[in-house]
Amino acid sequence: MLNQLRLIRVVSILSSSPRSINIAAPSISINKLPSNIRPTRSQLLMGSSSYTTSSHSSKLLFRQLFEKESSTYTYLLADVSHPDKPALLVDPVDKTADRDFALVKELGLKLIYAINTHVHADHVTGTGLIKTKDPSVKSVISKSSNAKADLFVEPGDKIYFGDLFLEVRATPGHTVGCVTYVTGEGPDQPQPRMAFTGDALLIRGCGRTDFQVSCLVEVQRCFTSLCIHRQDTNKFIFTLPKDTFVYPAHDYKGFTVSTVGEEMVYNPRLTKDLETFKGIMENLKLAYPKMMDMAVPANMVCGLQDVDGIAKAC
């Protein structure tokens, strides 16, 4: 049964470094390729357009896709150097699940994961619908979200697709279960790195923090999960290299990509001290999300459903 699947945690007993967890599908083998096979900076920038092609001489195929009603970005990543061309989707939306799945097939990819950065309040995830089209696809979400999924990730885990991987970083605040997925560090991984931040870090902003039981606590968690430099760098986005690309789950002004360096300088909220940040977040006076009452309950279960029950659940 899908709900009985467990992550296989691979912990090296020969190293004191953070644990490395491979949740790649068992059929996907790891084949090392020359370190010089990677996308260029310009290729990654071009990938910010929904259907701009990436060079197939590069390991990483990348697409940024948009759902206009909720202004949501969905991201498609694949290791096209691998024989199986394994792929994953980050933050799929139900309304565009058909489009995204068709694109995967057109590009000859094998979709192995549909992952969410958090339990969304403004749209229903497309993960469940995608699983009806291909039940072998595994749904992924953070363990701390308390939602259902095939696989649960925690900070420090690595999600492999072919020879490439995403590292999981905890970025709570918008919700308790928010995580950011960051492309891997190493000579055989794409450079510059890419951070898929969900609603935690937006371009020149950040996600609202009034969804939690204690708003004040979550405001502080949001700030520290993004900004504060400590030894536990797994938690903090601003400890990534400054040229790391920032790809959020939403944008409402037409921006498609930023960098860690830009946000450290120009983000009007996160360039402030903690007390000023608290004041900003406590006085946003944002309207109640119109989709929240439907989206949140659906998203708590849509990461994992049986095929027959998915229509009712979503």
Side-chain angles (χ1 to χ4, degrees):
M1 296 298 290
L2 290 178
N3 61 359
Q4 294 176 328
L5 291 175
R6 296 290 187 271
L7 285 176
I8 301 175
R9 305 197 177 278
V10 182
V11 182
S12 172
I13 61 174
L14 301 177
S15 172
S16 60
S17 59
R19 60 182 181 158
S20 175
I21 297 170
N22 183 342
I23 62 172
S27 61
I28 305 293
S29 61
I30 301 295
N31 297 314
K32 297 297 182 183
L33 293 177
S35 61
N36 63 342
I37 303 178
R38 65 173 74 114
T40 64
R41 183 183 182 91
S42 62
Q43 288 167 348
L44 287 171
L45 283 170
M46 288 174 65
S48 64
S49 177
S50 295
Y51 289 101
T52 300
T53 58
S54 299
S55 170
H56 280 247
S57 64
S58 301
K59 296 183 71 170
L60 176 68
L61 179 145
F62 172 65
R63 296 290 187 274
Q64 182 181 45
L65 306 164
F66 189 67
E67 195 284 306
K68 62 182 181 180
E69 186 172 329
S70 60
S71 297
T72 298
Y73 286 123
T74 296
Y75 299 98
L76 172 65
L77 294 86
D79 182 353
V80 293
S81 71
H82 192 281
D84 294 331
K85 295 185 178 180
L88 57 81
L89 283 167
V90 179
D91 287 335
V93 180
D94 62 340
K95 295 182 183 299
T96 48
D98 288 340
R99 176 202 67 186
D100 299 348
F101 192 76
L103 179 61
V104 168
K105 295 303 179 183
E106 288 172 358
L107 296 175
L109 308 176
K110 172 57 179 176
L111 187 63
I112 55 175
Y113 299 123
I115 69 181
N116 283 288
T117 53
H118 64 291
V119 175
H120 302 276
D122 47 15
H123 69 269
V124 174
T125 177
T127 303
L129 291 175
I130 289 169
K131 285 174 63 65
T132 65
K133 302 174 186 299
D134 184 352
S136 70
V137 176
K138 300 291 191 297
S139 57
V140 181
I141 200 166
S142 69
K143 184 177 180 180
S144 58
S145 71
N146 294 317
K148 291 185 178 180
D150 296 328
L151 300 170
F152 300 99
V153 291
E154 299 180 71
D157 288 355
K158 294 179 179 179
I159 304 172
Y160 277 89
F161 54 110
D163 294 336
L164 306 178
F165 66 88
L166 297 180
E167 168 195 318
V168 181
R169 293 194 174 206
T171 48
H174 174 65
T175 74
V176 295
C178 282
V179 295
T180 290
Y181 300 105
V182 185
T183 54
E185 182 178 16
D188 59 345
Q189 300 297 311
Q191 299 296 331
R193 299 178 75 180
M194 308 161 76
F196 302 94
T197 57
D199 288 16
L201 175 60
L202 305 176
I203 297 174
R204 307 300 190 265
C206 62
R208 61 195 295 177
T209 54
D210 56 346
F211 292 155
Q212 311 299 328
V213 174
S214 173
C215 182
L216 182 60
V217 170
E218 295 311 320
V219 168
Q220 183 162 342
R221 292 184 73 187
C222 177
F223 185 82
T224 56
S225 72
L226 296 172
C227 304
I228 305 301
H229 293 245
R230 295 181 182 174
Q231 290 183 345
D232 182 9
T233 58
N234 181 59
K235 294 183 178 179
F236 308 120
I237 298 306
F238 283 5
T239 60
L240 288 164
K242 291 182 180 180
D243 64 350
T244 301
F245 291 117
V246 171
Y247 288 103
H250 302 281
D251 191 85
Y252 308 99
K253 297 181 180 179
F255 292 109
T256 57
V257 62
S258 182
T259 66
V260 166
E262 283 183 39
E263 297 307 313
M264 290 176 71
V265 174
Y266 300 115
N267 192 299
R269 298 178 185 177
L270 300 174
T271 51
K272 306 296 190 294
D273 59 59
L274 177 58
E275 291 306 313
T276 304
F277 179 76
K278 287 180 180 179
I280 293 172
M281 299 307 292
E282 290 171 354
N283 291 281
L284 291 178
K285 296 181 173 59
L286 297 174
Y288 189 80
K290 62 181 181 180
M291 286 283 293
M292 184 169 176
D293 292 339
M294 180 181 73
V296 170
N299 290 334
M300 290 296 290
V301 299
C302 278
L304 172 68
Q305 303 114 344
D306 63 276
V307 173
D308 294 334
I310 188 171
K312 295 180 180 178
C314 290

